[in-house]
Amino acid sequence: MALAIFDLDETLIHGDCASLWTQEMVKIGWADGESFIGHEQELMRQYAAGTLAMEDYMAFTLSPLVGRTPEEVAHVVEPFVEDVIEPIFYSDASRTLAAHRAAGDRLLVISASAHFLVSAIAERFGIDEVLAIDLELQHGFYSGRTQGVLTYREGKVTRLESWLIEQDESLVGASFYSDSRNDLPLLQRVDKPFTVNPDPTLRAHAEQAGWPILSWR
């Protein structure tokens, strides 16, 4: 049994769950329309360019959750995942997950999105184990702040290494699937890196390194 690790956004799903959640928060009145979406999109452009400070993105996009309970947020997330996210699941992702299950591999999603989103989406794929950005609670309410190491760029490697120790697991024979240049630190750590619909920078690196380039739909 080996680890099969998956990025989430633009890898398992055809879209970015955090951006779609931003639109959902505007739709339900938790955030203020055009200005909120416009600033989020600018931050996402920085992400695509590999220049984003994830702390800035999280501080901005978590602001509508301040003072809300996890239960209140989960009540909104569940139909959001069903109505917005499930329709953009990649069929090829589902087939690949099934193949890894058949091989007896252990499935893990590691994502630079908030844990409450990633875990809800991973559950729909039948994946129980998730590493994502953890949020701080104060007296049972979201504070708008993150906690711990953020699962972004090198932070994914740091969090995964801690998880491996906790789980008495190893990266021997491990696979990792991702679309993003931001995941190069982790792609370079596993035995079997796979690029999925890679961005231009990741594609160029994959071609040079001889990594598989997958076109998922």
Side-chain angles (χ1 to χ4, degrees):
M1 181 177 73
L3 273 177
I5 310 167
F6 295 83
D7 177 45
L8 175 60
D9 301 309
E10 301 292 358
T11 300
L12 293 176
I13 65 174
H14 183 35
D16 185 280
C17 70
S19 289
L20 293 167
W21 172 244
T22 294
Q23 296 170 28
E24 185 71 13
M25 288 192 292
V26 169
K27 178 181 173 182
I28 64 177
W30 285 9
D32 180 30
E34 287 187 18
S35 62
F36 194 83
I37 290 176
H39 187 55
E40 191 272 343
Q41 289 176 343
E42 172 55 33
L43 292 170
M44 286 303 297
R45 283 190 284 272
Q46 295 175 27
Y47 173 83
T51 61
L52 176 68
M54 184 56 71
E55 293 82 359
D56 294 342
Y57 183 89
M58 296 306 296
F60 177 71
T61 57
L62 290 177
S63 58
L65 303 188
V66 174
R68 302 186 191 276
T69 66
E71 293 77 16
E72 181 183 2
V73 174
H75 183 71
V76 176
V77 168
E78 184 174 347
F80 163 73
V81 171
E82 183 175 349
D83 296 340
V84 178
I85 302 299
E86 279 199 31
I88 59 172
F89 282 6
Y90 279 131
S91 297
D92 290 315
S94 297
R95 283 190 284 270
T96 300
L97 290 168
H100 279 290
R101 285 193 182 94
D105 294 334
R106 186 175 184 179
L107 305 181
L108 172 69
V109 173
I110 183 164
S111 170
S113 294
H115 196 284
F116 72 88
L117 284 175
V118 179
S119 57
I121 297 167
E123 183 180 357
R124 299 298 179 107
F125 278 108
I127 301 173
D128 297 325
E129 299 189 280
V130 165
L131 293 174
I133 294 180
D134 294 323
L135 307 187
E136 181 187 75
L137 290 173
Q138 287 190 336
H139 309 295
F141 299 90
Y142 285 123
S143 69
R145 293 185 290 271
T146 61
Q147 63 179 15
V149 176
L150 304 187
T151 43
Y152 176 60
R153 298 177 65 92
E154 291 80 3
K156 283 193 176 182
V157 176
T158 300
R159 287 283 303 279
L160 178 61
E161 287 176 342
S162 297
W163 183 87
L164 291 170
I165 293 170
E166 293 168 3
Q167 299 289 318
D168 193 24
E169 188 62 85
S170 81
L171 288 179
V172 174
S175 307
F176 178 44
Y177 297 78
S178 177
D179 71 294
S180 175
R181 64 195 289 173
N182 292 298
D183 281 336
L184 275 168
L186 184 48
L187 285 163
Q188 292 169 330
R189 288 294 305 275
V190 298
D191 289 341
K192 300 175 183 178
F194 293 92
T195 63
V196 178
N197 304 336
D199 64 41
T201 298
L202 181 55
R203 178 178 291 274
H205 190 100
E207 290 173 347
Q208 184 175 16
W211 295 349
I213 298 173
L214 308 177
S215 297
W216 281 2
R217 297 291 182 265

PDB file of all heavy atoms in Angstrom, residues 129-165:
ATOM      1  N   GLU A 129      -9.238  11.448   4.582  1.00  0.00           N
ATOM      2  CA  GLU A 129      -8.026  12.059   5.129  1.00  0.00           C
ATOM      3  C   GLU A 129      -7.650  13.313   4.340  1.00  0.00           C
ATOM      4  O   GLU A 129      -7.485  13.282   3.114  1.00  0.00           O
ATOM      5  CB  GLU A 129      -6.889  11.045   5.131  1.00  0.00           C
ATOM      6  CG  GLU A 129      -7.234   9.844   6.015  1.00  0.00           C
ATOM      7  CD  GLU A 129      -6.075   8.912   6.230  1.00  0.00           C
ATOM      8  OE1 GLU A 129      -5.802   8.093   5.339  1.00  0.00           O
ATOM      9  OE2 GLU A 129      -5.450   8.991   7.306  1.00  0.00           O
ATOM     10  N   VAL A 130      -7.508  14.418   5.078  1.00  0.00           N
ATOM     11  CA  VAL A 130      -7.335  15.736   4.467  1.00  0.00           C
ATOM     12  C   VAL A 130      -6.309  16.539   5.255  1.00  0.00           C
ATOM     13  O   VAL A 130      -6.315  16.533   6.500  1.00  0.00           O
ATOM     14  CB  VAL A 130      -8.682  16.503   4.465  1.00  0.00           C
ATOM     15  CG1 VAL A 130      -8.476  17.977   4.187  1.00  0.00           C
ATOM     16  CG2 VAL A 130      -9.630  15.898   3.448  1.00  0.00           C
ATOM     17  N   LEU A 131      -5.445  17.223   4.539  1.00  0.00           N
ATOM     18  CA  LEU A 131      -4.607  18.279   5.114  1.00  0.00           C
ATOM     19  C   LEU A 131      -4.971  19.561   4.384  1.00  0.00           C
ATOM     20  O   LEU A 131      -4.915  19.614   3.156  1.00  0.00           O
ATOM     21  CB  LEU A 131      -3.120  17.966   4.947  1.00  0.00           C
ATOM     22  CG  LEU A 131      -2.577  16.773   5.740  1.00  0.00           C
ATOM     23  CD1 LEU A 131      -1.122  16.501   5.355  1.00  0.00           C
ATOM     24  CD2 LEU A 131      -2.675  17.022   7.239  1.00  0.00           C
ATOM     25  N   ALA A 132      -5.345  20.581   5.134  1.00  0.00           N
ATOM     26  CA  ALA A 132      -5.762  21.844   4.537  1.00  0.00           C
ATOM     27  C   ALA A 132      -5.494  22.956   5.539  1.00  0.00           C
ATOM     28  O   ALA A 132      -4.934  22.720   6.614  1.00  0.00           O
ATOM     29  CB  ALA A 132      -7.247  21.788   4.154  1.00  0.00           C
ATOM     30  N   ILE A 133      -5.889  24.170   5.206  1.00  0.00           N
ATOM     31  CA  ILE A 133      -5.614  25.306   6.083  1.00  0.00           C
ATOM     32  C   ILE A 133      -6.601  25.293   7.249  1.00  0.00           C
ATOM     33  O   ILE A 133      -7.816  25.352   7.053  1.00  0.00           O
ATOM     34  CB  ILE A 133      -5.688  26.629   5.298  1.00  0.00           C
ATOM     35  CG1 ILE A 133      -4.552  26.670   4.263  1.00  0.00           C
ATOM     36  CG2 ILE A 133      -5.593  27.823   6.245  1.00  0.00           C
ATOM     37  CD1 ILE A 133      -4.523  27.924   3.416  1.00  0.00           C
ATOM     38  N   ASP A 134      -6.067  25.206   8.443  1.00  0.00           N
ATOM     39  CA  ASP A 134      -6.886  25.142   9.653  1.00  0.00           C
ATOM     40  C   ASP A 134      -7.229  26.553  10.129  1.00  0.00           C
ATOM     41  O   ASP A 134      -6.414  27.482  10.030  1.00  0.00           O
ATOM     42  CB  ASP A 134      -6.144  24.386  10.758  1.00  0.00           C
ATOM     43  CG  ASP A 134      -5.940  22.925  10.410  1.00  0.00           C
ATOM     44  OD1 ASP A 134      -6.851  22.325   9.793  1.00  0.00           O
ATOM     45  OD2 ASP A 134      -4.873  22.376  10.735  1.00  0.00           O
ATOM     46  N   LEU A 135      -8.438  26.690  10.661  1.00  0.00           N
ATOM     47  CA  LEU A 135      -8.927  27.995  11.102  1.00  0.00           C
ATOM     48  C   LEU A 135      -9.014  28.044  12.621  1.00  0.00           C
ATOM     49  O   LEU A 135      -9.360  27.062  13.265  1.00  0.00           O
ATOM     50  CB  LEU A 135     -10.306  28.275  10.492  1.00  0.00           C
ATOM     51  CG  LEU A 135     -10.425  28.136   8.980  1.00  0.00           C
ATOM     52  CD1 LEU A 135     -11.790  28.613   8.514  1.00  0.00           C
ATOM     53  CD2 LEU A 135      -9.320  28.902   8.256  1.00  0.00           C
ATOM     54  N   GLU A 136      -8.739  29.217  13.156  1.00  0.00           N
ATOM     55  CA  GLU A 136      -8.797  29.421  14.597  1.00  0.00           C
ATOM     56  C   GLU A 136     -10.237  29.629  15.060  1.00  0.00           C
ATOM     57  O   GLU A 136     -11.016  30.322  14.410  1.00  0.00           O
ATOM     58  CB  GLU A 136      -7.964  30.650  14.970  1.00  0.00           C
ATOM     59  CG  GLU A 136      -7.941  30.953  16.460  1.00  0.00           C
ATOM     60  CD  GLU A 136      -7.252  32.257  16.765  1.00  0.00           C
ATOM     61  OE1 GLU A 136      -7.855  33.334  16.523  1.00  0.00           O
ATOM     62  OE2 GLU A 136      -6.093  32.213  17.225  1.00  0.00           O
ATOM     63  N   LEU A 137     -10.552  29.008  16.178  1.00  0.00           N
ATOM     64  CA  LEU A 137     -11.831  29.231  16.845  1.00  0.00           C
ATOM     65  C   LEU A 137     -11.581  29.925  18.176  1.00  0.00           C
ATOM     66  O   LEU A 137     -10.634  29.586  18.896  1.00  0.00           O
ATOM     67  CB  LEU A 137     -12.549  27.905  17.100  1.00  0.00           C
ATOM     68  CG  LEU A 137     -13.096  27.148  15.891  1.00  0.00           C
ATOM     69  CD1 LEU A 137     -13.618  25.788  16.323  1.00  0.00           C
ATOM     70  CD2 LEU A 137     -14.190  27.939  15.192  1.00  0.00           C
ATOM     71  N   GLN A 138     -12.426  30.885  18.503  1.00  0.00           N
ATOM     72  CA  GLN A 138     -12.398  31.525  19.803  1.00  0.00           C
ATOM     73  C   GLN A 138     -13.792  31.414  20.416  1.00  0.00           C
ATOM     74  O   GLN A 138     -14.759  31.938  19.852  1.00  0.00           O
ATOM     75  CB  GLN A 138     -11.978  32.999  19.685  1.00  0.00           C
ATOM     76  CG  GLN A 138     -10.504  33.198  19.383  1.00  0.00           C
ATOM     77  CD  GLN A 138     -10.078  34.648  19.504  1.00  0.00           C
ATOM     78  OE1 GLN A 138     -10.892  35.559  19.384  1.00  0.00           O
ATOM     79  NE2 GLN A 138      -8.796  34.860  19.739  1.00  0.00           N
ATOM     80  N   HIS A 139     -13.861  30.691  21.523  1.00  0.00           N
ATOM     81  CA  HIS A 139     -15.138  30.496  22.209  1.00  0.00           C
ATOM     82  C   HIS A 139     -16.201  29.893  21.275  1.00  0.00           C
ATOM     83  O   HIS A 139     -17.380  30.225  21.360  1.00  0.00           O
ATOM     84  CB  HIS A 139     -15.643  31.806  22.804  1.00  0.00           C
ATOM     85  CG  HIS A 139     -14.624  32.518  23.648  1.00  0.00           C
ATOM     86  ND1 HIS A 139     -14.145  31.996  24.828  1.00  0.00           N
ATOM     87  CD2 HIS A 139     -13.975  33.691  23.453  1.00  0.00           C
ATOM     88  CE1 HIS A 139     -13.245  32.823  25.339  1.00  0.00           C
ATOM     89  NE2 HIS A 139     -13.123  33.848  24.532  1.00  0.00           N
ATOM     90  N   GLY A 140     -15.740  29.001  20.377  1.00  0.00           N
ATOM     91  CA  GLY A 140     -16.661  28.311  19.488  1.00  0.00           C
ATOM     92  C   GLY A 140     -17.033  29.063  18.227  1.00  0.00           C
ATOM     93  O   GLY A 140     -17.872  28.585  17.450  1.00  0.00           O
ATOM     94  N   PHE A 141     -16.399  30.213  17.976  1.00  0.00           N
ATOM     95  CA  PHE A 141     -16.702  31.020  16.791  1.00  0.00           C
ATOM     96  C   PHE A 141     -15.422  31.222  15.974  1.00  0.00           C
ATOM     97  O   PHE A 141     -14.326  31.335  16.537  1.00  0.00           O
ATOM     98  CB  PHE A 141     -17.267  32.392  17.185  1.00  0.00           C
ATOM     99  CG  PHE A 141     -18.550  32.328  17.951  1.00  0.00           C
ATOM    100  CD1 PHE A 141     -18.544  32.260  19.346  1.00  0.00           C
ATOM    101  CD2 PHE A 141     -19.769  32.331  17.296  1.00  0.00           C
ATOM    102  CE1 PHE A 141     -19.733  32.188  20.064  1.00  0.00           C
ATOM    103  CE2 PHE A 141     -20.962  32.270  18.002  1.00  0.00           C
ATOM    104  CZ  PHE A 141     -20.946  32.194  19.388  1.00  0.00           C
ATOM    105  N   TYR A 142     -15.562  31.287  14.655  1.00  0.00           N
ATOM    106  CA  TYR A 142     -14.408  31.584  13.812  1.00  0.00           C
ATOM    107  C   TYR A 142     -13.901  32.997  14.108  1.00  0.00           C
ATOM    108  O   TYR A 142     -14.677  33.956  14.198  1.00  0.00           O
ATOM    109  CB  TYR A 142     -14.771  31.480  12.336  1.00  0.00           C
ATOM    110  CG  TYR A 142     -14.918  30.054  11.839  1.00  0.00           C
ATOM    111  CD1 TYR A 142     -16.098  29.614  11.245  1.00  0.00           C
ATOM    112  CD2 TYR A 142     -13.867  29.148  11.949  1.00  0.00           C
ATOM    113  CE1 TYR A 142     -16.234  28.312  10.792  1.00  0.00           C
ATOM    114  CE2 TYR A 142     -13.989  27.844  11.496  1.00  0.00           C
ATOM    115  CZ  TYR A 142     -15.173  27.429  10.917  1.00  0.00           C
ATOM    116  OH  TYR A 142     -15.297  26.149  10.470  1.00  0.00           O
ATOM    117  N   SER A 143     -12.579  33.114  14.257  1.00  0.00           N
ATOM    118  CA  SER A 143     -11.961  34.401  14.561  1.00  0.00           C
ATOM    119  C   SER A 143     -11.552  35.168  13.311  1.00  0.00           C
ATOM    120  O   SER A 143     -11.230  36.353  13.397  1.00  0.00           O
ATOM    121  CB  SER A 143     -10.721  34.188  15.441  1.00  0.00           C
ATOM    122  OG  SER A 143      -9.692  33.541  14.696  1.00  0.00           O
ATOM    123  N   GLY A 144     -11.523  34.467  12.156  1.00  0.00           N
ATOM    124  CA  GLY A 144     -11.016  35.084  10.934  1.00  0.00           C
ATOM    125  C   GLY A 144      -9.528  34.871  10.749  1.00  0.00           C
ATOM    126  O   GLY A 144      -8.945  35.367   9.781  1.00  0.00           O
ATOM    127  N   ARG A 145      -8.910  34.130  11.674  1.00  0.00           N
ATOM    128  CA  ARG A 145      -7.481  33.859  11.572  1.00  0.00           C
ATOM    129  C   ARG A 145      -7.234  32.365  11.332  1.00  0.00           C
ATOM    130  O   ARG A 145      -8.055  31.535  11.696  1.00  0.00           O
ATOM    131  CB  ARG A 145      -6.755  34.296  12.845  1.00  0.00           C
ATOM    132  CG  ARG A 145      -6.748  35.806  13.057  1.00  0.00           C
ATOM    133  CD  ARG A 145      -5.907  36.194  14.253  1.00  0.00           C
ATOM    134  NE  ARG A 145      -6.522  35.788  15.505  1.00  0.00           N
ATOM    135  CZ  ARG A 145      -7.379  36.545  16.196  1.00  0.00           C
ATOM    136  NH1 ARG A 145      -7.734  37.725  15.748  1.00  0.00           N
ATOM    137  NH2 ARG A 145      -7.886  36.102  17.336  1.00  0.00           N
ATOM    138  N   THR A 146      -6.109  32.079  10.742  1.00  0.00           N
ATOM    139  CA  THR A 146      -5.687  30.690  10.545  1.00  0.00           C
ATOM    140  C   THR A 146      -4.857  30.250  11.745  1.00  0.00           C
ATOM    141  O   THR A 146      -4.479  31.068  12.589  1.00  0.00           O
ATOM    142  CB  THR A 146      -4.853  30.539   9.267  1.00  0.00           C
ATOM    143  OG1 THR A 146      -3.672  31.359   9.369  1.00  0.00           O
ATOM    144  CG2 THR A 146      -5.662  30.966   8.043  1.00  0.00           C
ATOM    145  N   GLN A 147      -4.569  28.946  11.781  1.00  0.00           N
ATOM    146  CA  GLN A 147      -3.661  28.458  12.816  1.00  0.00           C
ATOM    147  C   GLN A 147      -2.754  27.388  12.238  1.00  0.00           C
ATOM    148  O   GLN A 147      -3.137  26.652  11.329  1.00  0.00           O
ATOM    149  CB  GLN A 147      -4.434  27.921  14.017  1.00  0.00           C
ATOM    150  CG  GLN A 147      -5.322  26.729  13.756  1.00  0.00           C
ATOM    151  CD  GLN A 147      -6.030  26.261  15.025  1.00  0.00           C
ATOM    152  OE1 GLN A 147      -6.072  26.975  16.029  1.00  0.00           O
ATOM    153  NE2 GLN A 147      -6.579  25.062  14.978  1.00  0.00           N
ATOM    154  N   GLY A 148      -1.550  27.349  12.768  1.00  0.00           N
ATOM    155  CA  GLY A 148      -0.584  26.363  12.298  1.00  0.00           C
ATOM    156  C   GLY A 148       0.030  26.732  10.962  1.00  0.00           C
ATOM    157  O   GLY A 148      -0.185  27.827  10.425  1.00  0.00           O
ATOM    158  N   VAL A 149       0.790  25.802  10.432  1.00  0.00           N
ATOM    159  CA  VAL A 149       1.453  25.990   9.137  1.00  0.00           C
ATOM    160  C   VAL A 149       0.420  25.891   8.021  1.00  0.00           C
ATOM    161  O   VAL A 149      -0.383  24.954   7.990  1.00  0.00           O
ATOM    162  CB  VAL A 149       2.562  24.930   8.936  1.00  0.00           C
ATOM    163  CG1 VAL A 149       3.188  25.056   7.546  1.00  0.00           C
ATOM    164  CG2 VAL A 149       3.630  25.068  10.018  1.00  0.00           C
ATOM    165  N   LEU A 150       0.434  26.850   7.110  1.00  0.00           N
ATOM    166  CA  LEU A 150      -0.513  26.844   6.002  1.00  0.00           C
ATOM    167  C   LEU A 150      -0.072  25.830   4.950  1.00  0.00           C
ATOM    168  O   LEU A 150       1.107  25.757   4.591  1.00  0.00           O
ATOM    169  CB  LEU A 150      -0.606  28.235   5.372  1.00  0.00           C
ATOM    170  CG  LEU A 150      -0.968  29.399   6.299  1.00  0.00           C
ATOM    171  CD1 LEU A 150      -1.198  30.678   5.490  1.00  0.00           C
ATOM    172  CD2 LEU A 150      -2.182  29.085   7.156  1.00  0.00           C
ATOM    173  N   THR A 151      -1.015  25.068   4.435  1.00  0.00           N
ATOM    174  CA  THR A 151      -0.716  24.038   3.423  1.00  0.00           C
ATOM    175  C   THR A 151      -0.610  24.691   2.046  1.00  0.00           C
ATOM    176  O   THR A 151      -1.435  24.485   1.168  1.00  0.00           O
ATOM    177  CB  THR A 151      -1.816  22.964   3.422  1.00  0.00           C
ATOM    178  OG1 THR A 151      -3.091  23.620   3.521  1.00  0.00           O
ATOM    179  CG2 THR A 151      -1.649  21.995   4.557  1.00  0.00           C
ATOM    180  N   TYR A 152       0.460  25.449   1.875  1.00  0.00           N
ATOM    181  CA  TYR A 152       0.698  26.217   0.643  1.00  0.00           C
ATOM    182  C   TYR A 152       2.180  26.178   0.339  1.00  0.00           C
ATOM    183  O   TYR A 152       3.013  26.402   1.212  1.00  0.00           O
ATOM    184  CB  TYR A 152       0.223  27.654   0.839  1.00  0.00           C
ATOM    185  CG  TYR A 152       0.489  28.581  -0.312  1.00  0.00           C
ATOM    186  CD1 TYR A 152      -0.050  28.328  -1.576  1.00  0.00           C
ATOM    187  CD2 TYR A 152       1.251  29.732  -0.151  1.00  0.00           C
ATOM    188  CE1 TYR A 152       0.182  29.188  -2.636  1.00  0.00           C
ATOM    189  CE2 TYR A 152       1.478  30.605  -1.198  1.00  0.00           C
ATOM    190  CZ  TYR A 152       0.940  30.324  -2.443  1.00  0.00           C
ATOM    191  OH  TYR A 152       1.172  31.183  -3.498  1.00  0.00           O
ATOM    192  N   ARG A 153       2.510  25.843  -0.913  1.00  0.00           N
ATOM    193  CA  ARG A 153       3.904  25.762  -1.348  1.00  0.00           C
ATOM    194  C   ARG A 153       4.701  24.860  -0.396  1.00  0.00           C
ATOM    195  O   ARG A 153       4.317  23.723  -0.142  1.00  0.00           O
ATOM    196  CB  ARG A 153       4.501  27.167  -1.510  1.00  0.00           C
ATOM    197  CG  ARG A 153       3.796  28.007  -2.582  1.00  0.00           C
ATOM    198  CD  ARG A 153       4.347  29.405  -2.688  1.00  0.00           C
ATOM    199  NE  ARG A 153       5.731  29.412  -3.148  1.00  0.00           N
ATOM    200  CZ  ARG A 153       6.104  29.510  -4.429  1.00  0.00           C
ATOM    201  NH1 ARG A 153       5.198  29.636  -5.388  1.00  0.00           N
ATOM    202  NH2 ARG A 153       7.372  29.510  -4.763  1.00  0.00           N
ATOM    203  N   GLU A 154       5.806  25.374   0.177  1.00  0.00           N
ATOM    204  CA  GLU A 154       6.626  24.552   1.062  1.00  0.00           C
ATOM    205  C   GLU A 154       5.858  24.104   2.304  1.00  0.00           C
ATOM    206  O   GLU A 154       6.198  23.095   2.934  1.00  0.00           O
ATOM    207  CB  GLU A 154       7.883  25.318   1.487  1.00  0.00           C
ATOM    208  CG  GLU A 154       8.878  25.556   0.371  1.00  0.00           C
ATOM    209  CD  GLU A 154       8.501  26.732  -0.529  1.00  0.00           C
ATOM    210  OE1 GLU A 154       7.475  27.405  -0.243  1.00  0.00           O
ATOM    211  OE2 GLU A 154       9.220  26.976  -1.520  1.00  0.00           O
ATOM    212  N   GLY A 155       4.815  24.859   2.655  1.00  0.00           N
ATOM    213  CA  GLY A 155       4.001  24.482   3.809  1.00  0.00           C
ATOM    214  C   GLY A 155       3.312  23.143   3.625  1.00  0.00           C
ATOM    215  O   GLY A 155       3.037  22.443   4.610  1.00  0.00           O
ATOM    216  N   LYS A 156       3.006  22.775   2.383  1.00  0.00           N
ATOM    217  CA  LYS A 156       2.427  21.452   2.149  1.00  0.00           C
ATOM    218  C   LYS A 156       3.409  20.359   2.548  1.00  0.00           C
ATOM    219  O   LYS A 156       3.024  19.343   3.136  1.00  0.00           O
ATOM    220  CB  LYS A 156       2.023  21.287   0.679  1.00  0.00           C
ATOM    221  CG  LYS A 156       0.740  21.992   0.294  1.00  0.00           C
ATOM    222  CD  LYS A 156       0.226  21.544  -1.062  1.00  0.00           C
ATOM    223  CE  LYS A 156      -1.113  22.181  -1.389  1.00  0.00           C
ATOM    224  NZ  LYS A 156      -1.677  21.729  -2.674  1.00  0.00           N
ATOM    225  N   VAL A 157       4.676  20.566   2.231  1.00  0.00           N
ATOM    226  CA  VAL A 157       5.697  19.576   2.582  1.00  0.00           C
ATOM    227  C   VAL A 157       5.837  19.491   4.099  1.00  0.00           C
ATOM    228  O   VAL A 157       5.883  18.396   4.678  1.00  0.00           O
ATOM    229  CB  VAL A 157       7.049  19.939   1.930  1.00  0.00           C
ATOM    230  CG1 VAL A 157       8.132  18.960   2.370  1.00  0.00           C
ATOM    231  CG2 VAL A 157       6.930  19.950   0.402  1.00  0.00           C
ATOM    232  N   THR A 158       5.877  20.646   4.752  1.00  0.00           N
ATOM    233  CA  THR A 158       6.027  20.675   6.212  1.00  0.00           C
ATOM    234  C   THR A 158       4.874  19.949   6.902  1.00  0.00           C
ATOM    235  O   THR A 158       5.088  19.111   7.790  1.00  0.00           O
ATOM    236  CB  THR A 158       6.088  22.130   6.701  1.00  0.00           C
ATOM    237  OG1 THR A 158       7.203  22.787   6.095  1.00  0.00           O
ATOM    238  CG2 THR A 158       6.229  22.190   8.217  1.00  0.00           C
ATOM    239  N   ARG A 159       3.646  20.267   6.487  1.00  0.00           N
ATOM    240  CA  ARG A 159       2.481  19.631   7.100  1.00  0.00           C
ATOM    241  C   ARG A 159       2.445  18.133   6.798  1.00  0.00           C
ATOM    242  O   ARG A 159       2.085  17.328   7.656  1.00  0.00           O
ATOM    243  CB  ARG A 159       1.206  20.304   6.595  1.00  0.00           C
ATOM    244  CG  ARG A 159       0.961  21.701   7.154  1.00  0.00           C
ATOM    245  CD  ARG A 159       0.435  21.667   8.583  1.00  0.00           C
ATOM    246  NE  ARG A 159      -0.788  20.898   8.683  1.00  0.00           N
ATOM    247  CZ  ARG A 159      -2.004  21.363   8.375  1.00  0.00           C
ATOM    248  NH1 ARG A 159      -2.146  22.617   7.965  1.00  0.00           N
ATOM    249  NH2 ARG A 159      -3.072  20.604   8.497  1.00  0.00           N
ATOM    250  N   LEU A 160       2.804  17.767   5.575  1.00  0.00           N
ATOM    251  CA  LEU A 160       2.795  16.348   5.218  1.00  0.00           C
ATOM    252  C   LEU A 160       3.833  15.584   6.019  1.00  0.00           C
ATOM    253  O   LEU A 160       3.564  14.470   6.499  1.00  0.00           O
ATOM    254  CB  LEU A 160       3.044  16.178   3.720  1.00  0.00           C
ATOM    255  CG  LEU A 160       3.094  14.733   3.225  1.00  0.00           C
ATOM    256  CD1 LEU A 160       1.771  14.013   3.485  1.00  0.00           C
ATOM    257  CD2 LEU A 160       3.438  14.683   1.731  1.00  0.00           C
ATOM    258  N   GLU A 161       5.008  16.163   6.194  1.00  0.00           N
ATOM    259  CA  GLU A 161       6.047  15.476   6.963  1.00  0.00           C
ATOM    260  C   GLU A 161       5.586  15.231   8.400  1.00  0.00           C
ATOM    261  O   GLU A 161       5.838  14.158   8.966  1.00  0.00           O
ATOM    262  CB  GLU A 161       7.342  16.293   6.936  1.00  0.00           C
ATOM    263  CG  GLU A 161       8.043  16.245   5.585  1.00  0.00           C
ATOM    264  CD  GLU A 161       9.278  17.123   5.533  1.00  0.00           C
ATOM    265  OE1 GLU A 161       9.403  18.029   6.399  1.00  0.00           O
ATOM    266  OE2 GLU A 161      10.114  16.914   4.634  1.00  0.00           O
ATOM    267  N   SER A 162       4.914  16.202   9.000  1.00  0.00           N
ATOM    268  CA  SER A 162       4.386  16.013  10.354  1.00  0.00           C
ATOM    269  C   SER A 162       3.328  14.910  10.369  1.00  0.00           C
ATOM    270  O   SER A 162       3.296  14.072  11.284  1.00  0.00           O
ATOM    271  CB  SER A 162       3.781  17.320  10.877  1.00  0.00           C
ATOM    272  OG  SER A 162       4.760  18.324  10.997  1.00  0.00           O
ATOM    273  N   TRP A 163       2.475  14.910   9.360  1.00  0.00           N
ATOM    274  CA  TRP A 163       1.425  13.896   9.258  1.00  0.00           C
ATOM    275  C   TRP A 163       2.025  12.505   9.101  1.00  0.00           C
ATOM    276  O   TRP A 163       1.539  11.536   9.711  1.00  0.00           O
ATOM    277  CB  TRP A 163       0.520  14.236   8.080  1.00  0.00           C
ATOM    278  CG  TRP A 163      -0.651  13.329   7.885  1.00  0.00           C
ATOM    279  CD1 TRP A 163      -1.884  13.422   8.461  1.00  0.00           C
ATOM    280  CD2 TRP A 163      -0.711  12.187   7.011  1.00  0.00           C
ATOM    281  NE1 TRP A 163      -2.708  12.428   8.009  1.00  0.00           N
ATOM    282  CE2 TRP A 163      -2.016  11.650   7.123  1.00  0.00           C
ATOM    283  CE3 TRP A 163       0.194  11.576   6.155  1.00  0.00           C
ATOM    284  CZ2 TRP A 163      -2.423  10.523   6.398  1.00  0.00           C
ATOM    285  CZ3 TRP A 163      -0.206  10.449   5.440  1.00  0.00           C
ATOM    286  CH2 TRP A 163      -1.502   9.936   5.569  1.00  0.00           C
ATOM    287  N   LEU A 164       3.084  12.398   8.297  1.00  0.00           N
ATOM    288  CA  LEU A 164       3.730  11.103   8.086  1.00  0.00           C
ATOM    289  C   LEU A 164       4.249  10.536   9.400  1.00  0.00           C
ATOM    290  O   LEU A 164       4.116   9.334   9.679  1.00  0.00           O
ATOM    291  CB  LEU A 164       4.880  11.247   7.089  1.00  0.00           C
ATOM    292  CG  LEU A 164       4.503  11.556   5.642  1.00  0.00           C
ATOM    293  CD1 LEU A 164       5.752  11.899   4.829  1.00  0.00           C
ATOM    294  CD2 LEU A 164       3.750  10.402   4.995  1.00  0.00           C
ATOM    295  N   ILE A 165       4.832  11.403  10.233  1.00  0.00           N
ATOM    296  CA  ILE A 165       5.341  10.955  11.531  1.00  0.00           C
ATOM    297  C   ILE A 165       4.185  10.501  12.420  1.00  0.00           C
ATOM    298  O   ILE A 165       4.239   9.435  13.044  1.00  0.00           O
ATOM    299  CB  ILE A 165       6.145  12.087  12.210  1.00  0.00           C
ATOM    300  CG1 ILE A 165       7.427  12.368  11.408  1.00  0.00           C
ATOM    301  CG2 ILE A 165       6.484  11.718  13.649  1.00  0.00           C
ATOM    302  CD1 ILE A 165       8.170  13.618  11.846  1.00  0.00           C
TER     303      ILE A 165
END
